[in-house]
Amino acid sequence: MDLSVRFSPDLWLFLAPRNRRPEVCLPYDGTSSLGHVIESAGVPLTEVGGLTAAERPVGPSYRPRPGEVVDVRPVRRPQVIPGIRFLLDVHLGTLARRLRLVGLDTAYHNDMDDDALIEQAGAEERVLLTQDRGILRRRSLRHGAYVRGARPDDQFLDVLDRFRPPLAPWTRCTACNGTLATVGKAEVEDSLEPGTRRTYDAFARCLACGRVYWHGAHGDTLSAIVRTAADAVSRP
């Protein structure tokens, strides 16, 4: 038996090329849940925002009846999660630094496997950001999201557009995610290069790792990233 399913075009990137059309027929055994059918087609449930069968709202556990047409809609944006915190997989290091730059609590390690990521995401109630569709389909993952885009710029804007989180630029260490605190020049002077000591007077230090920050040569580039983020989250 086949099941007629209409995926929103926003979800077509998860489907096999042959299924990227307004309505597809998917194999159905008559007993599996609708969620299982959708994920078997390649679409993680983390990316699904609404389901209807025969134009009636249903959940992922629903078992479709013969002749019903199913509609699958994407997550509605913005997806508001109060107090949102992130965990990024090993392939999204640049994105992690940018999220930290705008003050978002972002955990990242470059050596964690899938099981460790899922465990940390659950224990710390973080949203796991990844481009690995397989990990998003794991039943043990509570909160996850697929990051769209091949370039860090596009990935950054996609996350900001999806969640519209409150920003607090220049408050987190881009290296370790620790909190930054303003420090006097005299407190950090011994750790600065001579040119930096002569040129700059305003500094901040990470309370976790001790790294020192100032508005240096890359400051204008970073400020542009912050402005882009502010514009992204303030769009109607």
Side-chain angles (χ1 to χ4, degrees), residues 199-222:
T199 310
Y200 303 101
D201 295 306
F203 298 90
R205 183 166 55 195
C206 176
L207 298 178
C209 72
R211 182 167 179 159
V212 178
Y213 290 85
W214 61 94
H215 191 88
H218 300 293
D220 290 343
T221 299
L222 299 179

Side-chain angles (χ1 to χ4, degrees), residues 1-5 28-38 52-54 56 58-70:
M1 180 171 68
D2 288 337
L3 180 66
S4 294
V5 183
Y28 183 55
D29 58 13
T31 60
S32 296
S33 68
L34 181 54
H36 176 77
V37 175
I38 291 170
T52 62
R56 294 178 294 105
V58 297
S61 62
Y62 179 74
R63 287 172 172 75
R65 300 167 185 169
E68 289 184 328
V69 177
V70 171

